[in-house]
Amino acid sequence: MESKLCILVGKGQGESFKLAPGKEYTVGRHSENDIKIEDDNISRNHFKIQIKEDKCFITDLHSKNGTFVGGKDLSPGIATEIREGVPIVIGMTILALGAMCESCLKSFLDSAGFNSEISEYDEEIELYRVMTIKKNLEFIYNVTYSLMESKSLNEISKKLLNNIFNLFKRIDRCVIVLINDQTGEINNVVYRSRKPVDDPKKVYNRELVEQALIMKKPVMVKDSNNIEGIDEKVTESLQLMKIQSAMCVPIVGCYGIRGAIYVDSLEKPNGFRTSDLDLLKDVSGRAALAIDNLFLQMSFS
């Protein structure tokens, strides 16, 4: 099996390197490496990569800033198997294995928070952004694996709540709304809130959720006092509930709408960015897949 190591983000973006079976390649910023990466934030000899029996293994060479793969930092000196399409983050550079990785991972990287090119003039800002991407990628992998292990709708909902709440520090409330696939009506609401809730029925803005479900599209309100393109009824209800900013993303599976993910901030206008909405959209897709798989398992049991 011959594969390619591609640079997705960073200097040399779009460049790829062929990897032959059985051969070991070193990767780093020094010219003595088999694959040289122009990035001052990676080590002279950062990691090595090798293809053995149709499997690819990567080993961190005790690099200063580490090698981030599959939602975790690799333990130095230990070979770890890596699959095609899994982002590899070193310094300010993101790589991936696979000839088609750039096109396949574009939407994934967008949802993780990277949707523009690296700027060589603002390295401190860009380094912060890449660190944010690492955190978001870790979040996506954690969500994926936790959902795969879930055995019930309630377990899926709770794991979603915990993961989302831990990532978005600006939110006050996170709500998972589940819909009956037969009647289309809301049959369960699970939530987490930073402060005690007086009335569980008012823990989310129903009008905003209904708009997202009807449109089957994500809806974001950055500032409830300055809204454009949102139904007037939604605007009035947000202001009445004193919700400053909110996001809602429908959970759409192969067999229809499964529910919605809702988050809001009661005190902070402009609490969310477009990249936050992209990340929530990615999570909703994974949640929909987990719910669909759960129903399929139940139907065959």
Side-chain angles (χ1 to χ4, degrees):
M1 177 187 79
E2 184 179 270
S3 190
K4 291 183 179 180
L5 184 67
C6 310
I7 300 178
L8 302 181
V9 174
K11 294 180 180 179
Q13 182 173 323
E15 190 175 357
S16 62
F17 308 90
K18 290 184 179 180
L19 304 176
K23 186 176 180 181
E24 187 175 271
Y25 299 84
T26 58
V27 180
R29 74 170 193 273
H30 197 275
S31 58
E32 69 183 15
N33 289 283
D34 300 299
I35 299 174
K36 181 184 177 183
I37 305 294
E38 298 283 352
D39 186 339
D40 292 337
N41 294 285
I42 69 174
S43 297
R44 291 166 59 88
N45 304 102
H46 202 99
F47 69 80
K48 63 181 180 181
I49 188 168
Q50 184 179 25
I51 296 176
K52 296 180 181 179
E53 299 177 353
D54 292 337
K55 293 182 179 181
C56 187
F57 296 88
I58 186 171
T59 306
D60 180 85
L61 300 174
H62 298 271
S63 61
K64 181 179 180 181
N65 294 321
T67 303
F68 185 89
V69 176
K72 63 180 181 180
D73 286 305
L74 298 187
S75 299
I78 299 177
T80 302
E81 184 180 355
I82 180 173
R83 291 174 294 178
E84 289 198 355
V86 176
I88 306 166
V89 183
I90 55 172
M92 292 170 62
T93 303
I94 300 178
L95 311 120
L97 187 71
M100 300 298 292
C101 57
E102 184 171 6
S103 59
C104 293
L105 280 174
K106 184 179 184 305
S107 60
F108 182 64
L109 288 174
D110 286 346
S111 69
F114 194 96
N115 49 23
S116 62
E117 295 183 355
I118 288 288
S119 168
E120 59 182 304
Y121 303 106
D122 299 311
E123 290 194 0
E124 288 188 9
I125 295 174
E126 295 302 340
L127 181 58
Y128 171 78
R129 291 181 62 213
V130 172
M131 294 302 292
T132 300
I133 294 169
K134 288 178 66 175
K135 181 182 71 174
N136 291 352
L137 287 171
E138 183 175 10
F139 165 74
I140 290 172
Y141 279 107
N142 286 341
V143 168
T144 301
Y145 290 126
S146 64
L147 292 181
M148 286 172 60
E149 297 172 352
S150 299
K151 305 298 182 183
S152 68
L153 282 175
N154 189 51
E155 188 177 354
I156 288 174
S157 300
K158 288 185 176 180
K159 287 183 177 180
L160 278 175
L161 285 176
N162 291 334
N163 279 292
I164 293 170
F165 223 76
N166 290 334
L167 180 72
F168 294 111
K169 303 302 183 183
R170 296 179 299 277
I171 66 173
D172 289 308
R173 302 180 299 192
C174 179
V175 183
I176 308 298
V177 178
L178 297 176
I179 292 180
N180 187 300
D181 60 334
Q182 301 296 323
T183 65
E185 297 180 351
I186 295 174
N187 65 356
N188 195 18
V189 175
V190 185
Y191 69 88
R192 272 192 65 179
S193 176
R194 297 198 187 278
K195 296 180 180 179
V197 175
D198 296 329
D199 187 352
K201 294 181 180 179
K202 296 181 179 179
V203 75
Y204 69 98
N205 185 271
R206 183 177 291 271
E207 285 76 14
L208 188 69
V209 171
E210 287 178 351
Q211 180 168 333
L213 293 175
I214 292 172
M215 295 173 60
K216 294 184 181 180
K217 292 182 180 180
V219 180
M220 178 169 66
V221 175
K222 293 184 177 181
D223 185 352
S224 62
N225 296 308
N226 184 22
I227 300 178
E228 294 182 2
I230 300 292
D231 186 272
E232 186 175 339
K233 183 181 178 182
V234 176
T235 302
E236 291 177 355
S237 65
L238 286 169
Q239 293 173 348
L240 184 64
M241 295 179 68
K242 297 181 180 180
I243 297 171
Q244 296 293 328
S245 52
M247 296 189 294
C248 184
V249 177
I251 301 173
V252 183
C254 296
Y255 307 101
I257 297 178
R258 297 296 192 181
I261 303 172
Y262 168 95
V263 298
D264 68 17
S265 176
L266 302 177
E267 299 177 357
K268 297 178 181 179
N270 301 309
F272 305 115
R273 299 182 293 268
T274 302
S275 59
D276 294 331
L277 188 65
D278 289 336
L279 195 57
L280 210 59
K281 284 164 55 181
D282 185 280
V283 172
S284 73
R286 295 169 194 275
L289 182 60
I291 294 173
D292 282 348
N293 287 338
L294 181 63
F295 275 89
L296 282 173
Q297 292 173 17
M298 292 169 61
S299 64
F300 285 107
S301 60

